[in-house]
Amino acid sequence: MPTAHHPYRRVRRRTYALLASAAALASAAALATALPADAHDGRGGHGGHGGHHPSRYQDVQLLSFNDLHGNLEPPSGSSGRVTELQPDGTTKTIDAGGVEYLATHLRDARAGHPYSITAAGGDMVGASPLVSGLFHDEPTIEALNKLKLDVTSVGNHEFDEGAKELARLQNGGCHPTAGCYTDKEFQGADFPYLAANVLDEKTGKPILRPYWVWKKKDVKIGFIGVTLEGTPGIVSADGVKGLKFKDEVETINKYAKVLQRQGVQSIVALVHEGGFPASGSYNYDCDSPGVGDGISGPIVDIAKNVTPAVDALVTGHTHAAYVCTVDDPAGRPRMVTSAASFGRLYTDTTLTYDRRTGDIARTAVKSANRVVTRDVPKAADMTALIGKWNTLAAPIGNRPIGYVSADIGNTGDESPMGDLIADAQFAYGKELDPETDLALMNPGGVRAGLTYTAKGGEGDGVVTYAEGFTVQPFSNTVNLQDFTGAQLIQTLREQVSGVNAAAPKILQPSSGLTYTLDLTKTGADRVVTDSIRLNGTAIDPSATYRVATNSFLAGGGDGFTTLGQGTNDLVGTDDLTALEKYLTANSSASSPLAPPAANRITIVR
């Protein structure tokens, strides 16, 4: 293990009691062993008061969340709602999220639980709204410190600005180019980021700690943190330069053995990879009709192959909500959870620790997702933190950049917001080169929609720079490249084939590009080739087309390898500037922009 100083160690020395002496531990273990096998004090197992000996079993509360993405303020529109399944089979939506409310919910949940851990499944930062993203996510790390986060895995977005910036978020220090934003130097995270499967190519060693052990009295629980092995395919090349991402299962199994050799038998894996539940409701029973029947996706195979030594998996990445049991390789059910995204949910799990074996009694593990409702008091310290950073961001963030006549949503295979961004990049591409034919936008790069109702004092329908930043926070450039018609057709087929076969990534098309997507078919055949038209004319496989994309797609990101083979490159400004230029040119207070119809792709189901 590395011995370099980490800020979180200062906090851990204050937060957690040291282990008792070896003699005391031996005595406690002997007493616990003497208890009957079903001993459990019914009060969470925290005996030892008034002369009583500790019971054999100790309930440990594990609170977890994932994919916060710097959403300190309550996310707007559909990004700030969850769906709840009602007893009669209907659903209702609930406004949720915002760290002022998340803090209150977590603090209330911890009350009465002396054995409580808070963990996260990655993507705490990256693709963040302006109040965090403008300051390289220092505000989010400060908020997580105040939330008393104990540990998190890295996610793919922790690499948006590269390994050196991630190390700064962990260890502190001012930004190398932006400097210090306040009169105090950034202190870094009080919690460890775990990156067990992210190796430095030169040394072959993890770039951050691979695991961490939570200790309280005689209870020890180990945490192993990994991100998805496919991170290089969904992050810019600069962000993962010099890094190697290893298989999730092999890595977790390796470090589970390391922990066991250190005497740690209770293990939780924090895995930034996820699944797709059959229902979008946060309280859907994905173990119906059988164990794990209601969930699919990469996490299922991971959960089925991770060593039985691991007692639970906290997951993320897909922004889905689920609490499932998936059988481990020994055929024993094991909890797999995810709490959606943006701080809208947290998962409350009870891990029953067996003092005799040092392991988790799997049959006693209970878990449920809880909604971060906005009907509780705001946490005053979080309100102050957000206010401080908003004051610094206000001169930039409050500037109007356009006007809309209604909400422009970001849901569905083709979204109005995705089409709007594609149109903006197409218009900007035409400025750079009048020969530009079309634009394509990756859906994962559209982080939010635009809402008509004012969030502040700007007025209804006004789009501020801060809102635009929330939609496109990556600072990708708009690039022009030449492709043959055959390559363009192949690109559309890659939406639903290859690495995207199981979870299609539908590119958002600019106006004029139309085709049919037949979801009753399989693989690349789901794109009906002879339906592809540009301004009503069939694509000519041998012709050359000038295509605008962002720099992430131009590098072959998201599995679109053909887009990485373009020629005659021309690099333009950043994508947010292109969106701002489009909104400014096509909207005004008296003539706001209407939402695109999102009807460029005809979908057959």
Side-chain angles (χ1 to χ4, degrees):
M1 293 299 299
T3 57
H5 168 72
H6 290 294
Y8 64 80
R9 291 181 179 166
R10 301 194 304 269
V11 175
R12 292 300 162 254
R13 286 198 290 268
R14 294 197 301 268
T15 305
Y16 300 121
L18 295 173
L19 287 174
S21 68
L25 278 174
S27 175
L31 287 166
T33 303
L35 293 172
D38 60 351
H40 197 293
D41 70 5
R43 294 172 293 143
H46 39 87
H49 300 290
H52 295 295
H53 298 301
S55 70
R56 172 174 170 177
Y57 296 100
Q58 173 65 58
D59 282 351
V60 178
Q61 179 189 62
L62 174 62
L63 304 176
S64 58
F65 56 97
N66 50 276
D67 296 276
L68 181 65
H69 291 290
N71 278 265
L72 303 184
E73 297 177 292
S76 60
S78 59
S79 297
R81 303 187 191 108
V82 294
T83 302
E84 182 178 69
L85 185 64
Q86 303 298 294
D88 63 0
T90 61
T91 60
K92 74 171 184 179
T93 58
I94 304 171
D95 290 339
V99 295
E100 295 162 295
Y101 303 108
L102 178 60
T104 298
H105 280 280
L106 291 179
R107 290 164 185 173
D108 288 348
R110 293 182 190 126
H113 293 275
Y115 289 76
S116 183
I117 311 167
T118 303
D123 275 8
M124 295 296 96
V125 300
S128 305
L130 186 100
V131 69
S132 185
L134 189 63
F135 306 105
H136 297 277
D137 281 313
E138 291 181 19
T140 294
I141 299 298
E142 288 187 1
L144 293 171
N145 288 344
K146 290 180 181 293
L147 281 177
K148 302 300 181 186
L149 180 64
D150 289 301
V151 60
T152 184
S153 68
V154 295
N156 54 287
H157 281 284
E158 264 79 20
F159 296 93
D160 284 348
E161 297 188 49
K164 287 185 178 179
E165 174 62 7
L166 173 58
R168 187 184 76 87
L169 293 180
Q170 176 72 89
N171 299 320
C174 296
H175 192 271
T177 57
C180 291
Y181 297 111
T182 70
D183 57 359
K184 294 182 179 179
E185 183 174 272
F186 174 58
Q187 295 298 299
D190 291 341
F191 52 88
Y193 261 113
L194 303 183
N197 69 329
V198 186
L199 311 183
D200 184 304
E201 285 186 340
K202 293 181 179 179
T203 66
K205 296 179 179 180
I207 62 168
L208 294 171
R209 297 187 66 163
Y211 62 86
W212 174 78
V213 180
W214 179 89
K215 302 175 184 177
K216 187 176 177 74
K217 296 184 179 178
D218 58 344
V219 176
K220 296 187 293 185
I221 300 178
F223 290 82
I224 302 166
V226 299
T227 186
L228 68 156
E229 184 183 10
T231 291
I234 55 175
V235 175
S236 68
D238 286 343
V240 294
K241 187 176 182 180
L243 304 179
K244 189 173 184 179
F245 292 76
K246 303 289 286 184
D247 180 80
E248 305 95 334
V249 172
E250 291 178 7
T251 302
I252 294 168
N253 291 351
K254 170 185 175 180
Y255 285 106
K257 291 179 181 178
V258 172
L259 285 167
Q260 287 184 308
R261 287 197 295 268
Q262 296 180 6
V264 179
Q265 303 302 325
S266 296
I267 302 171
V268 175
L270 306 176
V271 186
H272 191 72
E273 178 61 289
F276 304 98
S279 168
S281 297
Y282 80 88
N283 58 338
Y284 163 72
D285 181 6
C286 61
D287 285 344
S288 178
V291 171
D293 284 348
I295 188 170
S296 60
I299 198 60
V300 176
D301 286 338
I302 291 173
K304 287 180 177 178
N305 289 287
V306 162
T307 172
V310 171
D311 298 294
L313 283 77
V314 172
T315 74
H317 186 57
T318 56
H319 293 200
Y322 48 84
V323 173
C324 302
T325 49
V326 178
D327 287 348
D328 69 15
R332 299 171 58 211
R334 177 168 54 194
M335 196 68 71
V336 180
T337 68
S338 175
S341 60
F342 306 153
R344 294 173 292 166
L345 300 174
Y346 70 92
T347 310
D348 189 344
T349 301
T350 299
L351 300 172
T352 299
Y353 184 89
D354 185 342
R355 286 187 168 92
R356 179 182 295 174
T357 63
D359 207 348
I360 299 299
R362 286 262 201 99
T363 55
V365 173
K366 298 171 295 193
S367 190
N369 275 327
R370 312 293 188 194
V371 182
V372 178
T373 60
R374 300 177 190 170
D375 58 358
V376 298
K378 295 180 179 181
D381 57 339
M382 292 298 181
T383 301
L385 181 147
I386 293 170
K388 177 187 77 172
W389 290 104
N390 265 333
T391 298
L392 293 174
I396 298 172
N398 292 340
R399 178 169 57 83
I401 61 173
Y403 302 84
V404 295
S405 63
D407 288 355
I408 300 182
N410 185 36
T411 57
D413 293 315
E414 178 189 358
S415 74
M417 194 68 233
D419 285 358
L420 172 57
I421 291 174
D423 287 347
Q425 295 187 4
F426 178 41
Y428 175 69
K430 296 280 282 186
E431 285 185 32
L432 291 181
D433 183 347
E435 298 301 313
T436 300
D437 295 296
L438 70 144
L440 296 170
M441 177 64 190
N442 60 307
V446 187
R447 305 306 297 184
L450 294 174
T451 55
Y452 176 79
T453 302
K455 292 184 67 175
E458 73 273 15
D460 290 346
V462 177
V463 180
T464 64
Y465 182 85
E467 291 171 309
F469 189 97
T470 300
V471 173
Q472 290 199 278
F474 293 112
S475 297
N476 287 315
T477 56
V478 178
N479 292 18
L480 299 182
Q481 293 175 296
D482 287 349
F483 296 92
T484 65
Q487 287 177 310
L488 182 55
I489 293 168
Q490 176 60 21
T491 293
L492 295 180
R493 290 167 64 86
E494 286 171 354
Q495 298 175 112
V496 289
S497 63
V499 297
N500 295 326
K505 289 185 171 67
I506 307 305
L507 295 168
Q508 309 295 283
S510 59
S511 178
L513 180 64
T514 59
Y515 67 95
T516 297
L517 186 64
D518 188 348
L519 297 181
T520 66
K521 298 181 179 179
T522 59
D525 290 340
R526 284 177 278 189
V527 174
V528 182
T529 302
D530 60 9
S531 72
I532 303 172
R533 298 285 188 274
L534 183 61
N535 301 319
T537 302
I539 296 293
D540 180 353
S542 63
T544 298
Y545 295 87
R546 193 79 162 137
V547 182
T549 65
N550 61 35
S551 49
F552 171 69
L553 283 177
D558 269 351
F560 292 100
T561 55
T562 301
L563 288 180
Q565 300 167 9
T567 60
N568 194 20
D569 291 16
L570 178 60
V571 178
T573 189
D574 66 272
D575 48 11
L576 179 53
T577 297
L579 177 62
E580 179 180 351
K581 288 169 70 71
Y582 185 82
L583 288 170
T584 300
N586 292 278
S587 69
S588 65
S590 60
S591 181
L593 186 70
N599 58 358
R600 299 162 190 179
I601 306 172
T602 300
I603 298 179
V604 178
R605 299 183 187 277

